[in-house]
Amino acid sequence: MTQAIDRLKQASTAAFTGLKCKECGTEYEATAKHVCDECFGPLEVKYDYDVLRQTVSRETIEAGPHSIWRYKPFLPVATDTPIDVGTGMTPLVEAHRLARRLGLKKLYIKNDAVNMPTLSFKDRVVSVALTRARELGFSTVSCASTGNLANSTAAIAAHAGLDCCVFIPADLEAGKILGTLIYNPTLMAVKGNYDQVNRLCSEVANTQGWGFVNINLRPYYSEGSKTLGFEVAEQLGWQLPDHVVAPLASGSLFTKIYKGFQEFVETGLVEAKDVRFSGAQAEGCSPIATAYKEGRDFIAPVKPNTIAKSIAIGNPADGIYAVDIANKTNGTIESVTDAEIIDGMKLLAETEGIFTETAGGTTIATLKKLVEAGKINPDEVTVVYITGNGLKTQEAVQGYIGEPLTIEPKLDSFERALERSHTLNRLEWQQVLV
């Protein structure tokens, strides 16, 4: 592995220069390392922004591939041939009907429910992590996952020809288990919650010498989330929004969207602007929201108990950094019930035709809650991040949506059923009005 790193140093003209501790500032070489030796703080990638200012422009980005790799100079890889499976450049949908329903004027949905290849934002972080893993000489990759990350790691490893072993809690939704097994990795279903899975994976990483995307490769992996910030800025015509609402699991996505905006400002690609950051959690696993509301500078771990399994991380690694961003941007962090999550999924589907998973339902429900509390200015340009596809969590809405009207293959049977459906609709509206 040392020889591979030396070759990278000689060949690379990339703008990333190494790793740096977020707490004490100690710097390290760009190896498979995620914790500081001095203070045990998390490491993140360090960049030379002078190089980026001299080599990157709006034109060079627009001339790049229609994927996250149009932003390659801002990502921690040295190769000219990254693993590109078409990930990124997902739609930024102007949500007219949802905006009218909520009383907003400019609302956008960043829809990673249609991200490739596995229909979640995790395809972004995994594409970056596995590209870096290959550069560092790993032949086997792995992860601890609540579902979407397992899907992405297995799929992109298969594409790249890497061996793959992934770990999940045993009680995940069937769609996410199937969506991992189809790529033929070794899948370990652990009898425990995500935090227990993650602790086991830390031990395995120390004994097997594998590249764990969200452990020893975490500094590189997390940088992939910045592309959600980059794309929104570019899709808004090279400007920043006024307010973003995003789901919180580990807190990493939230912090990296913020970092992406700051990097575009730092390199002159967009004008500086105060963007408010608001986060969304499920009440059944809301350690970050609780810390924010109580004004604490630490996260108290909790045991998850929510249908929003993809964001059910009881001991979030970047939680306190998410709280800091919400505070310094004049944003907020809210939590919603499982019932509100289901309503959020239904609301987005029936207004914008987007079927999101429970994490997206959490975010839409939080958006609604913030609007009702007067915490979102109706005139603001607000962007809501939808990070996964509802086809993966169909169990969550079973029993809460309608049933098909079964009819005979006859016109009169159809007409009776149609009249019945109109009657049911009228009754539903009457209940809403009451």
Side-chain angles (χ1 to χ4, degrees), residues 405-414 416:
L405 295 167
T406 303
I407 64 173
E408 298 295 330
K410 298 176 182 178
L411 182 59
D412 62 340
S413 180
F414 155 73
R416 287 195 302 271

Coordinates of all heavy atoms in Angstrom, one line a residue, residues 405-414 416:
L405 N -59.9 -0.4 -6.5 CA -61.3 -0.7 -6.6 C -61.4 -1.9 -7.6 O -61.2 -1.8 -8.8 CB -62.1 0.5 -7.2 CG -62.1 1.7 -6.3 CD1 -62.6 2.9 -7.0 CD2 -62.9 1.4 -5.0
T406 N -61.7 -3.1 -7.1 CA -61.8 -4.3 -7.9 C -63.2 -4.3 -8.5 O -64.2 -4.2 -7.9 CB -61.6 -5.5 -7.0 OG1 -60.3 -5.4 -6.3 CG2 -61.6 -6.8 -7.8
I407 N -63.2 -4.5 -9.8 CA -64.5 -4.5 -10.6 C -64.6 -5.6 -11.6 O -63.6 -6.3 -11.9 CB -64.6 -3.1 -11.4 CG1 -63.5 -3.0 -12.5 CG2 -64.6 -1.9 -10.5 CD1 -63.6 -1.9 -13.4
E408 N -65.8 -5.9 -12.0 CA -66.0 -6.9 -13.1 C -65.7 -6.2 -14.4 O -65.7 -5.0 -14.5 CB -67.5 -7.3 -13.1 CG -67.9 -8.0 -11.8 CD -67.2 -9.3 -11.6 OE1 -66.9 -10.0 -12.6 OE2 -67.0 -9.7 -10.4
P409 N -65.4 -7.0 -15.4 CA -65.1 -6.4 -16.8 C -66.4 -6.0 -17.5 O -66.6 -6.3 -18.6 CB -64.4 -7.6 -17.5 CG -65.0 -8.8 -16.9 CD -65.2 -8.5 -15.5
K410 N -67.1 -5.1 -16.8 CA -68.4 -4.6 -17.3 C -68.5 -3.1 -17.1 O -68.1 -2.7 -16.0 CB -69.6 -5.4 -16.7 CG -69.6 -6.9 -16.9 CD -70.7 -7.6 -16.2 CE -70.7 -9.1 -16.4 NZ -71.8 -9.8 -15.7
L411 N -69.2 -2.4 -18.0 CA -69.3 -1.0 -17.9 C -70.1 -0.6 -16.6 O -69.7 0.4 -15.9 CB -70.1 -0.4 -19.1 CG -70.2 1.1 -19.1 CD1 -68.9 1.8 -19.1 CD2 -71.0 1.5 -20.4
D412 N -71.2 -1.3 -16.3 CA -71.9 -0.9 -15.1 C -71.2 -1.1 -13.8 O -71.3 -0.3 -12.9 CB -73.3 -1.6 -15.0 CG -73.1 -3.1 -14.9 OD1 -72.0 -3.6 -15.2 OD2 -74.1 -3.8 -14.5
S413 N -70.3 -2.1 -13.8 CA -69.5 -2.3 -12.6 C -68.5 -1.2 -12.4 O -68.2 -0.7 -11.3 CB -68.7 -3.6 -12.7 OG -67.9 -3.9 -11.6
F414 N -67.9 -0.7 -13.6 CA -67.0 0.4 -13.6 C -67.7 1.7 -13.1 O -67.2 2.4 -12.2 CB -66.4 0.7 -14.9 CG -66.0 2.1 -15.2 CD1 -64.8 2.6 -14.6 CD2 -66.7 2.9 -16.0 CE1 -64.5 3.9 -14.8 CE2 -66.4 4.2 -16.2 CZ -65.2 4.7 -15.6
R416 N -70.4 2.0 -11.2 CA -70.7 2.0 -9.7 C -69.4 2.2 -8.9 O -69.5 3.0 -7.9 CB -71.3 0.6 -9.4 CG -72.7 0.4 -9.9 CD -73.3 -0.8 -9.2 NE -72.6 -2.1 -9.4 CZ -72.8 -2.9 -10.4 NH1 -73.7 -2.6 -11.3 NH2 -72.0 -4.0 -10.5

